[in-house]
Every structure is written in C-alpha cells, then in structure tokens.
Amino acid sequence: MEEPLSRTMSGQITTRIREKILSGVYAPGSALLQDVIAAEFGTSKIPVREALVQLRSEGLLDIYAHRGFQVRPLSAQEVAEVFHLRLSIEPAAVAEGARQANAPDRDYARDALARLNQALAGNELSRSGDLNCAFHLALIVPRLYPMTNDVLFRLHTVSQRYVRLHLQDRGRTRRANKQHTELYNAWAAGKAKEAERLTRTHIEETGAELMATLSHE
Amino acid sequence: MEEPLSRTMSGQITTRIREKILSGVYAPGSALLQDVIAAEFGTSKIPVREALVQLRSEGLLDIYAHRGFQVRPLSAQEVAEVFHLRLSIEPAAVAEGARQANAPDRDYARDALARLNQALAGNELSRSGDLNCAFHLALIVPRLYPMTNDVLFRLHTVSQRYVRLHLQDRGRTRRANKQHTELYNAWAAGKAKEAERLTRTHIEETGAELMATLSHE
DNA sequence: ATGTCGTAGATCGTATACGATCTACGAATG
DNA sequence: CATTCGTAGATCGTATACGATCTACGACAT
C-alpha cells in the first residue's frame, strides 16, 4: 500500500524534501545546504541538486547562484495570488472535466475522495495535503489537460504550505469534507455548471480562511 | 549589448537548449542524449542534466527514467490548451498591471516593445520570440505577481514553438506589431479595461491563426 | 514458428574528487 | 576612524569515474 517509489534517487528526494518544506520541517526562509541534505538522505549532492532545481520550479524555494538554496518565505501576498490564479483556472477546468470524464475517470476521482476522507478521519495531516491535491486534480481529468494539470499542481502545492498552518481546525475539516462530497456528486453526475460553482465557492472560502488566519498572526 | 550570461553552466546551457528546442534544431519527438549534448557544449553531463530537469518543468521535454529525454511532440491540442490558459489569466493580469504600474515599470515595458520592434524590423526571428515574451510579461509587472509571471512565462515559452512555425508570414508580423502598440498605449495610460480587451483579442487572434496553420499542414 | 531467456552494448544515474565563488573578518592604509 | 584589501573557511558548481538499468538481438526451448 506504499507509494510506488520513484525509480531514481532524484525523484525520491524531490518528494521527501517537498514534504519537509510543506510540513515546515524545513522552515520558511531557512537555508538548505546541499551537503547537509545529502548526508541526511545518505546520498551524494547530485540527486539533491536535481531535486532542488525541480522544487524551485514548483515555487517552493529560491536559488541564488554560488550562494545556496533557500526555502521561499511565506507571505499573505502569495496566498492571495495563488488563490486568485486558482479561481481563474480551476472552476472552468472542473466543469470541462465533468463534461468529458468517462467511467474510469469517475472511479478514479471517487477513490481519491475516499482516500482523502480516510486520511482526514485518521487525522493523518501530512498525507491529507497530497490526497486533497490529488482529489481536486482528478476532477479536471489530467489526461485531457496535461498543462492545466501541471499548473494547478504547482498552485495546490504552494497553497498546502499555508493550509497546514491551520489544519488542526476540525470545523474547517468537516466543512471541506462536506463541500468535497457535494462537489464530487455534481461532477460525477455531469452537472458541469454546478460543479463549476461549487469549485469556485470552495476555493473562495478556503482562500478567505487562509488570509484571515495569516493576517491575525 | 550581450545578454548577461548566467553565472553557472547549468543556466547557460538551459538557455541554449531552450533556444534549440524552440527553433526546431532539436526536433519535436527527437531523443536528447546527455553525453552528446555535453560534448556539444564542451561540458560534463551534470549541468546538462540540471538544464534538462529545468526544461522539463517548462513543458519543453519529457523525461523517462533510465531511458532518456525526449523533445515533447507538438500537437494542436496543446496549442488550444495553452491559449485557453493564457486567456484565463493574461487579460486580467495585464489590466491589473495597467492599474498598478509605476513610472519605471512603464519605461521598462516601453523599452521592451522598442527592442521587439527592432528585432522584427531586422527580421531576427530567434530573438523576436524571447522579446515578444518579455514585452507581454512586462505588462503584468512581474514585481507585483511573481507566480503569475512564472506561469505565463511557461505558457509563452511553449507557444513560441508553434509561433515560429509560421513566423515568415510578414502580414501577421505587421498586424501583431500594430496590436502591440495599441495595447501598450492603453496600458501605459492606465486604461485597464481597454488593455484587458486588447490583450484578449490579441491572444484570441494569435491562437486562432496558429490553430489554422496547424490544421492544414 | 513462437516465445523465453540471456548476453552485449549503449545510455542513464550517482559517488567521489576537485576547482571556483562567496562571505566573514582582520590587517593595512589613507 | 573609515575604508580598502587580502586571506581563510565554507559552500557551491562541475569534471571524472563507476555502477545500474534498459534495449536489441540472438540462442535455446517449447
């Protein structure tokens, strides 16, 4: 039941460093020394460097030539931008997914939702972030829109950094849970316009909560 | 007057490989052997690999673990998706840029347009692609929206592969030229709504032309 | 004839070693 | 006293060397 580990060190390290950034183990603003990380994972620097290049493209860290890698700091401005971008793209993409999904696509999304709910029930915070992302991406049917999927993956990934800041809020979890179910049901029934509306609402509410949390902290 | 070369081999090689993919020297669908590229640039494989990881994140090539790198094939579907995404994001972002740009931002955009026109006048096709991208990105004022800038850079980069397929069309060049000037004037005057409309029209027309070119080829 | 297995060659992926660049900090200079 | 210069240590960036994986293809078994 484990994730099928990437065939390369770079791939595995990318996933593991990403997780450490998202969970805050590598704190925002902190420097990442490639020798230290390499030792931490028991490898040489080369796969570490490739992982860091990848994570930079995901917006999780900055590279300063000859000076090192730094976890990108958090900012209320970034949250606003990310959720604004998601609103520009995701509702319409989910509507299109609702129109074009076939049976396997719907099964896949249903399973993704089930896994997400299971993780939330078990309070497995770290996994729930990825599973939440996977569920939302399933609704856009990546097969149809690979580039859209790519863009949204990045946006979800960045937003996870902020979501985890207040993930202990059980009320929020329950509400998100309910919204996900409604959204999935509309989507799977091919009700494109309703799925679009629910997606927009879901993103707006999540974004607003995050902004509120960040501002009085 | 040369570009300030990146401080690292990886950076320089990224730029040079990108250019070769965009110009078709590395043809769509062809395999890229890291040893061959390394020999071509007179370096070892390591910076080449980092460049290829970066270019993958830009959507220009695919990586198959233990099997190699491949220039991503062109497809009408991808053009449609890229221009659809640009329409979702760029007009509103340009409008916002028009509202918030300060004097240096406007100077920078004006210069970018001038450089683009100069390249087009001199028929320097390879540079005009980058300069076109730079002009359009200047209008969104990257300083304000770094993530939006990032996303649009990727979309422009991918679309360049298709634009260059029919760049010899002088009529199109002249028309784009006129649209750019109108767009810049509205933008610099702070006419956000007009800049938004002109951006939308410009993207729609460009996308439609590309789709037409691709379909009867 | 078909399919499986195994080997050779090519290519990828990573470890090690080395050279280049940066930062910090103290000495020399005006 | 302020500033410049220069050196030492740390860290980054890349070349070289080696081991791992894949593909192609021919021998063998069915």
Side-chain angles (χ1 to χ4, degrees):
Chain A
M1 199 57 192
E2 277 301 305
E3 288 286 319
L5 279 183
S6 168
R7 282 259 175 292
T8 66
M9 271 294 166
S10 305
Q12 297 178 40
I13 295 178
T14 302
T15 302
R16 294 174 67 181
I17 297 180
R18 186 192 295 118
E19 174 55 30
K20 290 204 174 192
I21 293 175
L22 295 182
S23 64
V25 174
Y26 293 157
S30 65
L32 297 182
L33 308 188
Q34 36 186 266
D35 288 328
V36 173
I37 295 178
E40 195 173 331
F41 291 130
T43 70
S44 79
K45 297 187 305 190
I46 287 160
V48 172
R49 288 179 56 82
E50 289 183 13
L52 294 175
V53 169
Q54 169 64 30
L55 292 170
R56 174 188 181 282
S57 85
E58 295 180 14
L60 296 181
L61 48 85
D62 294 316
I63 302 183
Y64 303 97
H66 295 284
R67 293 198 305 166
F69 299 77
Q70 184 184 19
V71 179
R72 190 171 288 182
L74 300 176
S75 81
Q77 197 176 346
E78 185 176 75
V79 192
E81 190 181 359
V82 166
F83 278 81
H84 183 77
L85 279 171
R86 281 186 58 186
L87 279 173
S88 305
I89 298 172
E90 199 165 338
V94 168
E96 202 53 32
R99 288 187 196 97
Q100 298 190 38
N102 59 28
D105 296 330
R106 284 192 290 272
D107 289 347
Y108 185 80
R110 176 175 45 71
D111 293 346
L113 177 57
R115 279 193 294 274
L116 170 59
N117 285 336
Q118 193 174 3
L120 287 174
N123 217 23
E124 305 174 65
L125 298 188
S126 69
R127 292 192 60 199
S128 72
D130 288 343
L131 294 173
N132 181 66
C133 176
F135 167 64
H136 282 287
L137 292 183
L139 298 185
I140 72 167
V141 189
R143 168 175 67 77
L144 300 172
Y145 302 105
M147 195 139 303
T148 304
N149 179 71
D150 225 65
V151 172
L152 286 176
F153 172 79
R154 287 157 208 259
L155 296 176
H156 274 274
T157 299
V158 170
S159 73
Q160 274 190 51
R161 302 184 71 196
Y162 300 91
V163 169
R164 294 202 189 183
L165 288 180
H166 71 152
L167 206 62
Q168 50 275 42
D169 179 348
R170 298 292 293 173
R172 181 188 177 282
T173 297
R174 206 160 30 242
R175 187 150 14 97
N177 219 311
K178 190 179 164 210
Q179 290 183 345
H180 285 157
T181 302
E182 284 187 67
L183 171 53
Y184 170 77
N185 287 336
W187 179 85
K191 298 177 182 172
K193 281 298 169 191
E194 189 175 346
E196 181 170 355
R197 185 180 58 73
L198 291 171
T199 300
R200 187 178 300 115
T201 305
H202 181 59
I203 296 173
E204 282 169 350
E205 287 191 20
T206 305
E209 283 176 24
L210 289 182
M211 298 289 288
T213 301
L214 282 176
S215 61
H216 57 65
E217 239 184 22
Chain B
M1 198 59 191
E2 275 304 302
E3 286 289 318
L5 280 183
S6 168
R7 283 260 174 293
T8 66
M9 269 294 163
S10 305
Q12 296 177 41
I13 294 178
T14 302
T15 302
R16 294 173 68 182
I17 297 181
R18 186 192 294 117
E19 174 56 31
K20 290 204 177 196
I21 293 175
L22 295 182
S23 64
V25 173
Y26 293 157
S30 64
L32 297 181
L33 307 189
Q34 38 187 262
D35 289 328
V36 173
I37 295 177
E40 195 173 331
F41 292 130
T43 70
S44 78
K45 296 185 307 190
I46 287 158
V48 171
R49 288 180 57 84
E50 287 183 15
L52 293 175
V53 169
Q54 168 65 30
L55 293 170
R56 175 191 180 284
S57 85
E58 295 180 15
L60 296 182
L61 48 86
D62 294 315
I63 301 184
Y64 303 96
H66 296 287
R67 293 197 306 165
F69 299 77
Q70 184 183 17
V71 179
R72 191 171 287 182
L74 300 175
S75 80
Q77 197 177 342
E78 184 176 74
V79 190
E81 190 180 1
V82 167
F83 278 81
H84 184 77
L85 280 171
R86 282 186 57 188
L87 278 174
S88 304
I89 299 171
E90 199 165 337
V94 168
E96 203 52 33
R99 289 187 195 97
Q100 300 189 38
N102 59 25
D105 296 330
R106 284 193 290 272
D107 289 348
Y108 185 80
R110 176 174 46 70
D111 293 346
L113 178 56
R115 280 192 294 275
L116 170 59
N117 285 335
Q118 194 174 4
L120 288 174
N123 217 23
E124 304 174 65
L125 299 189
S126 70
R127 293 191 58 198
S128 72
D130 288 342
L131 294 173
N132 181 67
C133 176
F135 167 64
H136 282 287
L137 292 183
L139 298 185
I140 71 167
V141 189
R143 169 175 65 79
L144 299 171
Y145 301 105
M147 196 138 303
T148 305
N149 180 71
D150 225 64
V151 171
L152 286 176
F153 173 77
R154 288 157 207 256
L155 296 177
H156 274 273
T157 299
V158 170
S159 73
Q160 274 190 52
R161 303 183 71 197
Y162 300 91
V163 169
R164 294 202 190 182
L165 287 180
H166 72 151
L167 206 63
Q168 51 276 39
D169 180 347
R170 297 292 291 173
R172 182 188 176 283
T173 298
R174 205 157 35 238
R175 187 150 15 98
N177 216 310
K178 190 180 166 210
Q179 291 183 344
H180 285 159
T181 303
E182 284 186 69
L183 171 54
Y184 170 77
N185 287 336
W187 178 87
K191 297 177 182 171
K193 280 299 171 191
E194 188 175 347
E196 182 170 356
R197 186 179 58 75
L198 290 170
T199 300
R200 187 178 300 115
T201 304
H202 181 60
I203 296 171
E204 283 169 350
E205 287 191 20
T206 306
E209 284 176 24
L210 289 182
M211 298 291 287
T213 302
L214 282 176
S215 61
H216 57 62
E217 240 184 17

